[in-house]
Amino acid sequence: AQTVTQSQPEMSVQEAETVTLSCTYDTSESDYYLFWYKQPPSRQMILVIRQEAYKQQNATENRFSVNFQKAAKSFSLKISDSQLGDAAMYFCAYRSSFYQGAQKLVFGQGTRLTINP
Amino acid sequence: DVKVTQSSRYLVKRTGEKVFLECVQDMDHENMFWYRQDPGLGLRLIYFSYDVKMKEKGDIPEGYSVSREKKERFSLILESASTNQTSMYLCASSLEGQGFRGPEDEQYFGPGTRLTVT
């Protein structure tokens, strides 16, 4: 079974600075997808960024980028120019590319990010 | 925009009560999911459904059942609520059925129901 580990329960960063959230995972599969989700306080969870394991190029979405290290099974999220609206719980998630239950997501424990003004 | 709604934001029930949590999506999605969110444990999948009347167990199905009589609605049922089922429950949906599993098929989440069982 796949597992996802986020070892940083809480992180904080000064507004406009850069912060990196860590995620490691364990799988025996060679093809899969990885995601970062954001859950703002009292608001719905939304997808931030996705990465396909067969793609070597790291995904980027505006101020959000990932550092995907397949051999190390590491998938960190970098947030540049942090803004107050980035304050949220961030979840790393894994999904197999094969049918093992209709796109089941396996989530990490979450990292609570605080932005200091 | 995809909208996933859940019947209640907050719910307080007594031990032993039968509890229904309702989820509705308005985008004709094939898949629907129920997760439980607990501090330090992240989200864990309880049940999911890939078609009307079809369901599969997730990682922690014990003490729960589900119903999907219509495509847009997915209900989570706690047959006899217990205090260890106090948690945040999140519903999600995604577009495609079993035949498509690309990364673009993201899951859309509802706002969550915070259930307290006393």
Side-chain angles (χ1 to χ4, degrees):
Chain A
Q2 295 82 20
T3 59
V4 177
T5 302
Q6 294 177 249
S7 58
Q8 306 156 315
E10 296 183 350
M11 293 278 287
S12 63
V13 64
Q14 291 295 125
E15 194 175 1
E17 304 267 303
T18 295
V19 64
T20 299
L21 309 184
S22 301
C23 173
T24 58
Y25 59 94
D26 188 30
T27 184
S28 59
E29 298 175 339
S30 59
D31 196 16
Y32 46 86
Y33 310 115
L34 296 165
F35 306 85
W36 278 98
Y37 278 86
K38 171 185 177 181
Q39 186 181 41
S42 302
R43 291 177 59 189
Q44 287 168 246
M45 183 119 63
I46 57 172
L47 179 66
V48 174
I49 198 165
R50 59 169 67 92
Q51 174 78 42
E52 295 152 66
Y54 65 86
K55 288 187 177 179
Q56 293 196 357
Q57 185 172 5
N58 289 323
T60 299
E61 289 286 343
N62 300 314
R63 297 183 295 107
F64 297 87
S65 62
V66 298
N67 183 5
F68 173 49
Q69 303 287 331
K70 191 172 183 179
K73 295 180 182 175
S74 171
F75 182 61
S76 60
L77 174 70
K78 186 171 83 171
I79 306 174
S80 303
D81 186 25
S82 299
Q83 300 176 0
L84 294 178
D86 295 333
M89 183 74 85
Y90 286 82
F91 291 97
C92 179
Y94 171 103
R95 198 182 91 204
S96 172
S97 66
F98 301 101
Y99 177 69
Q100 287 186 357
Q103 308 163 13
K104 168 184 162 180
L105 284 172
V106 178
F107 284 88
Q109 300 88 338
T111 297
R112 184 173 301 281
L113 178 64
T114 302
I115 311 296
N116 300 313
Chain B
D1 280 353
V2 175
K3 183 170 276 188
V4 180
T5 57
Q6 296 183 228
S7 50
S8 305
R9 290 301 301 269
Y10 300 93
L11 207 54
V12 179
K13 295 292 182 180
R14 293 200 179 276
T15 302
E17 278 193 78
K18 189 169 186 176
V19 181
F20 293 86
L21 302 183
E22 305 285 340
C23 175
V24 176
Q25 50 92 4
D26 67 355
M27 286 300 292
D28 202 34
H29 282 180
E30 300 286 338
N31 302 319
M32 296 188 76
F33 307 81
W34 275 107
Y35 293 92
R36 171 177 171 157
Q37 181 179 356
D38 298 290
L41 297 177
L43 279 74
R44 293 176 291 166
L45 182 64
I46 305 171
Y47 267 98
F48 63 92
S49 168
Y50 51 88
D51 200 353
V52 175
K53 296 190 187 292
M54 304 303 289
K55 61 186 179 184
E56 284 198 26
K57 293 179 180 178
D59 298 317
I60 51 165
E62 297 77 19
Y64 303 94
S65 63
V66 291
S67 172
R68 193 170 181 199
E69 297 295 322
K70 293 185 178 181
K71 191 174 185 179
E72 67 271 17
R73 188 178 297 270
F74 192 36
S75 302
L76 180 69
I77 303 157
L78 287 65
E79 295 290 341
S80 178
S82 64
T83 55
N84 62 14
Q85 292 178 310
T86 291
S87 187
M88 170 72 86
Y89 291 88
L90 295 176
C91 175
S93 71
S94 66
L95 177 60
E96 295 290 347
Q98 298 182 48
F100 176 77
R101 300 179 291 277
E104 296 79 15
D105 188 16
E106 71 179 86
Q107 290 188 19
Y108 294 86
F109 285 82
T113 295
R114 186 166 296 282
L115 173 67
T116 302
V117 182
T118 62

